[in-house]
Amino acid sequence: MKNLRLKAARAAKDLSQEELAKRCGVSRQTISAIEKGDYNPTINLCIAICKALDKTLDELFWQE
Amino acid sequence: MNDYLWGITLGAFLVLVLAFIGYYVIAKKCGDVKYDERQRAGRGKAFQAGFFTLLISGAIVSILNYMDVLPGSDFVWQMAALVVGIAVFALTAIHFDAYVGMTDTPKRFIIMGSFFTAAMILSAIGNFLADEKDNHDIGFINLILAVIWMLIVVALLIHNRKKTEDEE
């Protein structure tokens, strides 16, 4: 399932996938894969992404 | 120890020394190769695929050798089984975007792979032109390695193209 909330949060911060990837210490392809729903990140990476985007885990990754 | 064994031993020693020097030169120039968590997972799958392919192809070659149905030298077939396992690892890793590290560029691997392909083809031609049967066996191994390197280069080129199209 696509993670549109992550994409929206990144766009709101005016960050490219490359910039977000650098802040989280992963490759751009990994961020792209998470946004497309092709890869389930570990909790550590989820936290790094949340910190980089000033969001909580619930806001970005919780699914109802 | 005859001349042949001395040659193999010294050759292996020389390769080890060159590999050691090469590793440190590359490590110093490029820094540590880093893979992120997605790539490490992909490499795990690639190692698994390569390992089981190696086991299965090795077993098949051994059985066929035992049945004496394989043409040519046993050594060539054993090497082919080994190389197939390594190739499966490389191609699976490329498929999972886990062959080239985060800080590395595929260009370097493509240039290196093209160089090795050309070197292996030239070496194979040289060995096939020689009169000795042993040289022909080594020529076949050179050809197998050339094909594997070519496959890796083509896979990297295709993967790189897909990656570029996938940009935001």
Side-chain angles (χ1 to χ4, degrees), chain A residues 10 27 30 36 39 42, chain B residues 36-38 97 163 166 168:
Chain A
R10 179 173 62 76
S27 64
T30 298
K36 283 196 284 184
Y39 174 66
T42 60
Chain B
D36 67 20
E37 57 171 54
R38 181 184 56 87
D97 186 34
K163 230 160 99 171
D166 187 40
E168 284 169 283

